[in-house]
Amino acid sequence: MLQSMTSGWRVGLGLGLGSLALLGLVACSEGSADKTAKPVAEVVRTVSVAQVELRPMGGVQQASGLLVAREEIAIGPELSGYRVAALLADEGDQVRAGQPLARLDDGLLQAKIAQAQASLVQAKAQARQARAESARVEGLDGQGVLSDEQIQQRRTAAASAQANADVAAANLAGLRVEAERMVLRAPVAGVVLQRNVRRGDVASPGGEAMFRLARDGMVELAAEVPEDQVDRIQPGNQVAVTLASGVELEGQVRLLSRRVDDKTKLAQVRVALPVRADLRPGGFAQARFAQAAAPVAAVPEKAIHFEAGGPQLATIDADSRIRKLPVSLGARAQGWVALRDGPPLGTRLALGGGAFVLEGDRVQINGAAQPAAVPATPEAAPAPAPAAAAAAGGQR
């Protein structure tokens, strides 16, 4: 009796535990199926949209450079060995063409001139005597009064004496030219930029120039412009120039250099400026070149995003997905930026929030209807285990 009760109790306990295990397996199976079948919606960001448009862009191109004399003239002595006796001009002076700037000590030269004058007088006297002796034998050829050799000697002596007189005259003329060059004169009108000589210095033609002049006082700006922007500037263009002191001037492009520096890759643009006393060669100045307006492809500044690789645009394709595109930028004006290289006209661009979207993200245009969420494709639910199926049938 006791053994039969114990056996019954064990059978009942086993059936109860088995039922609980089967119920747990079925519940777990149903939960896994529910989790697998649940769709995952794709995140869609809302962005404002603009387009690549054709807009007239004039733009202002900036450059900097140094003030230089349009034509700088170096003035130095043509004679050597003479000391500077007097200085007649200084830096900053306005001089006219031919005006004396300095005078050399001509004491030694005047002595040479006096000697040359005496030599010339002597040579002329000897030439007159020789000519007179030659004239006395005229018509005596072949008459036996004098030999032909003597007659020829007198004629030769006369010619030689005249040549000596000519040499003496030439020497005197050369010394007088040197006397004129003892005074250094300005070859053109202008402003003395630099004086590099002192009273008592010895003149040397191969040394440093004594004076430097700016012809007619004209000073201009030698602006340095990147080589890829030189062709946008034309001679005659108006230029706004700002000096280091803050003074603003109006200039005009005079010359475009035909050479690009092989190290800096900059080309020089000469800007003519009005004649002013505050324009000093060597000073710094900035230039703003105004360019004529022309229709170009442009985008709003808000559409440009700067990444490590440079400026980019977040374009929107036909499927409303983001495609990042690197671009090359040009001039800026009134909140727009010209594109040197970029997408075609009409391309849609993400504004503002475009910096926070990634390549391939799906977006919604601000103010447009929300697109339906695209669920992820669910995986097929696994078939229930045989034991679980049998348990479910037993419960029914």
Side-chain angles (χ1 to χ4, degrees):
M1 181 72 178
L2 181 60
Q3 184 176 2
S4 61
M5 289 178 64
T6 302
S7 300
W9 177 79
R10 288 180 178 176
V11 171
L13 180 60
L15 290 174
L17 291 174
S19 298
L20 290 174
L22 288 174
L23 289 174
L25 287 174
V26 171
C28 290
S29 177
E30 290 178 354
S32 299
D34 292 342
K35 290 182 181 180
T36 304
K38 184 177 181 180
V40 178
E42 182 180 11
V43 177
V44 178
R45 295 183 180 274
T46 301
V47 296
S48 299
V49 175
Q51 291 185 353
V52 180
E53 299 181 12
L54 197 63
R55 297 180 66 88
M57 299 283 288
V60 175
Q61 183 176 342
Q62 295 187 353
S64 61
L66 299 178
L67 298 175
V68 297
R70 176 180 295 189
E71 185 177 350
E72 185 173 305
I73 301 171
I75 303 172
E78 300 180 52
L79 305 175
S80 61
Y82 298 96
R83 292 189 177 275
V84 177
L87 297 174
L88 308 176
D90 207 343
E91 293 184 6
D93 290 351
Q94 288 275 356
V95 297
R96 63 183 184 278
Q99 179 176 331
L101 304 178
R103 186 177 69 250
L104 304 180
D105 185 359
D106 61 350
L108 180 59
L109 182 60
Q110 292 298 329
K112 291 181 179 180
I113 291 176
Q115 183 180 1
Q117 288 176 336
S119 298
L120 177 60
V121 172
Q122 182 181 12
K124 286 182 176 181
Q126 293 174 351
R128 284 194 300 269
Q129 181 180 0
R131 285 197 303 270
E133 292 179 357
S134 176
R136 294 190 189 102
V137 297
E138 288 294 333
L140 298 180
D141 296 283
Q143 295 185 8
V145 178
L146 291 174
S147 65
D148 293 342
E149 181 180 357
Q150 290 176 328
I151 295 173
Q152 187 61 37
Q153 284 178 351
R154 291 191 180 188
R155 291 173 178 171
T156 302
S160 178
Q162 184 59 45
N164 290 337
D166 293 341
V167 170
N171 288 338
L172 179 59
L175 292 174
R176 285 174 174 168
V177 170
E178 290 186 8
E180 293 178 357
R181 295 180 180 177
M182 297 294 284
V183 177
L184 274 70
R185 300 179 183 276
V188 297
V191 177
V192 179
L193 298 178
Q194 194 174 10
R195 176 177 66 83
N196 302 313
V197 62
R198 297 170 297 179
R199 186 175 300 172
D201 289 348
V202 178
S204 175
E208 186 178 12
M210 289 185 175
F211 295 89
R212 292 186 179 276
L213 266 66
R215 182 177 181 180
D216 298 326
M218 292 186 295
V219 177
E220 60 187 16
L221 173 62
E224 294 183 333
V225 179
E227 61 176 330
D228 61 341
Q229 301 180 15
V230 175
D231 292 338
R232 303 180 185 180
I233 302 173
Q234 299 298 326
N237 287 1
Q238 296 298 316
V239 185
V241 178
T242 304
L243 304 181
S245 61
V247 176
E248 294 189 357
L249 305 175
E250 289 296 328
Q252 190 176 52
V253 176
R254 183 182 69 86
L255 177 67
L256 297 178
S257 175
R258 301 293 297 176
R259 179 180 175 274
V260 176
D261 189 277
D262 56 352
K263 295 181 179 179
T264 63
K265 299 304 178 183
L266 298 175
Q268 197 173 90
V269 178
R270 290 294 187 103
V271 179
L273 299 173
V275 178
R276 294 170 55 104
D278 56 351
L279 294 180
R280 299 176 177 85
F284 177 81
Q286 291 182 328
R288 297 187 301 277
F289 299 89
Q291 299 176 355
V296 296
V299 298
E301 289 183 343
K302 295 181 179 179
I304 301 171
H305 316 295
F306 291 91
E307 305 290 344
Q312 291 186 351
L313 293 176
T315 64
I316 304 174
D317 62 13
D319 296 331
S320 297
R321 293 190 179 276
I322 294 295
R323 303 297 177 205
K324 294 293 184 75
L325 182 66
V327 293
S328 177
L329 306 180
R332 298 172 181 261
Q334 299 178 352
W336 289 77
V337 183
L339 294 181
R340 296 180 187 171
D341 183 21
L345 296 174
T347 302
R348 295 187 302 170
L349 310 171
L351 297 177
F356 304 99
V357 294
L358 301 177
E359 178 76 15
D361 283 358
R362 195 173 186 210
V363 295
Q364 175 193 2
I365 299 174
N366 189 15
Q370 173 71 32
V374 179
T377 304
E379 297 181 0
Q395 289 179 354
R396 288 192 299 267

